[in-house]
Amino acid sequence: ISAKKASGRNFTFTEQQLIIDQVIEKHKVVSVIPEFIEPVFIEVDLSVFVYYDTTLTVLGADDIKSTVVDNLLSYDKQELRKFNRVMRGSAINRVVEGSDPSILSCVQRLKISRPITVIFSKQTTYNANIGNPLAKGTIKSNGFYLQGYDEVCYFDDDSNGTIKLFYLLNGERIDIRNAGTINYDLGQIQINNLIITRLVENELKVTATPASPDVASVFNQIVLFNLDNLSVSMIADASSKGRILSGNKFQFTKNIL
């Protein structure tokens, strides 16, 4: 059984037991023993570059941006943050481009991340299922400390399906060893035999670029925007003025992270 609060994220252990005892036990199959599994939150770091025509609006860039942000927050609240939901790139385009008549188009950049529950000071193999196809060469973690190393360690991928452990020494990357594997098509990451003693931040996270503009939740996962990393950039589109050479003034946004 996996569930989330209507407001907030995880239930406490006491709340989980109340749900099992007062709700699930009354309806369960006799031979089934219910177990509560925490939902896994797949956070989307969304950056949107919004092209707009200044001649089609009396509003300033900040006013249009505010509307775009509000509409994205509404989409996150109404369409995501639940089980079995999909964040669709086409839907994001509609939300952004429908925010104001002056908006001509938008370019999206995505990163997705999920937490990994750490068992400290014990050799552990970690399986992190992101459940979405991932772009090669984009997998990386935040910092952690390994037994036997004073430096902050990280892991990333080599674009060929291998997870590598490393640390930085005076800005230079020092590889420690191959530490696991990744299935890019399934978004399944395995990191082998780590003895993590402590973390740099509150939790260990793995981050990657999705290979698709759509991000789906599978099994006990919930997709939602990382509101701390929601970014909207407004770009006045000089190519929309109707001049023959206006395309020379077009400001390109690279479709990469």
Side-chain angles (χ1 to χ4, degrees):
I1 301 162
S2 191
K4 70 174 287 290
K5 292 184 175 182
S7 177
R9 292 202 177 185
N10 295 332
F11 291 98
T12 65
F13 178 77
T14 301
E15 290 170 333
Q16 293 176 13
Q17 289 303 120
L18 284 173
I19 292 172
I20 292 175
D21 295 340
Q22 297 181 8
V23 180
I24 306 302
E25 287 286 349
K26 296 179 181 180
H27 304 283
K28 74 170 187 176
V29 178
V30 175
S31 59
V32 174
I33 300 175
E35 179 182 352
F36 209 101
I37 301 175
E38 296 281 9
V40 174
F41 293 92
I42 305 296
E43 293 189 324
V44 179
D45 293 352
L46 174 64
S47 297
V48 181
F49 299 83
V50 182
Y51 289 80
Y52 72 105
D53 187 343
T54 57
T55 66
L56 297 179
T57 181
V58 296
L59 298 175
D62 288 343
D63 295 321
I64 301 172
K65 176 180 176 178
S66 179
T67 301
V68 171
V69 170
D70 287 344
N71 289 343
L72 287 172
L73 293 178
S74 294
Y75 174 82
D76 176 58
K77 182 178 180 180
Q78 296 171 11
E79 300 298 329
L80 306 179
R81 297 182 178 265
K82 302 176 182 69
F83 294 103
N84 300 318
R85 295 299 178 95
V86 179
M87 191 220 77
R88 301 186 186 278
S90 58
I92 299 300
N93 284 342
R94 288 194 295 272
V95 167
V96 173
E97 293 172 9
S99 296
D100 190 87
S102 67
I103 295 177
L104 305 172
S105 64
C106 69
V107 175
Q108 302 175 37
R109 292 179 181 173
L110 300 177
K111 288 185 180 179
I112 55 178
S113 63
R114 63 151 289 169
I116 298 175
T117 302
V118 174
I119 300 175
F120 291 104
S121 301
K122 181 180 180 181
Q123 183 169 293
T124 306
T125 292
Y126 297 95
N127 291 290
N129 179 23
I130 295 181
N132 288 265
L134 304 175
K136 296 180 179 180
T138 67
I139 288 81
K140 59 184 66 177
S141 74
N142 55 354
F144 54 91
Y145 289 89
L146 285 177
Q147 186 179 78
Y149 292 88
D150 295 328
E151 300 82 6
V152 178
C153 299
Y154 308 86
F155 64 78
D156 63 6
D157 74 299
D158 66 351
S159 299
N160 293 309
T162 299
I163 297 295
K164 290 184 171 291
L165 279 178
F166 68 97
Y167 61 88
L168 299 176
L169 184 62
N170 297 324
E172 180 182 355
R173 175 185 173 123
I174 307 296
D175 285 331
I176 300 173
R177 62 177 172 86
N178 293 346
T181 58
I182 175 170
N183 183 318
Y184 294 104
D185 293 333
L186 299 179
Q188 294 177 343
I189 302 170
Q190 179 173 300
I191 310 104
N192 299 320
N193 303 326
L194 297 188
I195 304 178
I196 297 176
T197 56
R198 58 192 174 99
L199 302 177
V200 174
E201 302 175 28
N202 292 330
E203 60 184 356
L204 178 61
K205 278 189 174 184
V206 57
T207 301
T209 300
S212 165
D214 301 331
V215 180
S217 59
V218 298
F219 304 117
N220 64 320
Q221 295 178 346
I222 295 173
V223 173
L224 71 166
F225 289 159
N226 181 347
L227 301 184
D228 291 335
N229 291 333
L230 177 61
S231 171
V232 174
S233 301
M234 303 299 299
I235 301 172
D237 190 351
S239 72
S240 63
K241 306 288 186 185
R243 295 189 294 268
I244 294 177
L245 299 178
S246 60
N248 291 333
K249 296 186 177 182
F250 185 76
Q251 182 175 336
F252 289 94
T253 301
K254 294 182 179 179
N255 194 23
I256 58 174
L257 286 169

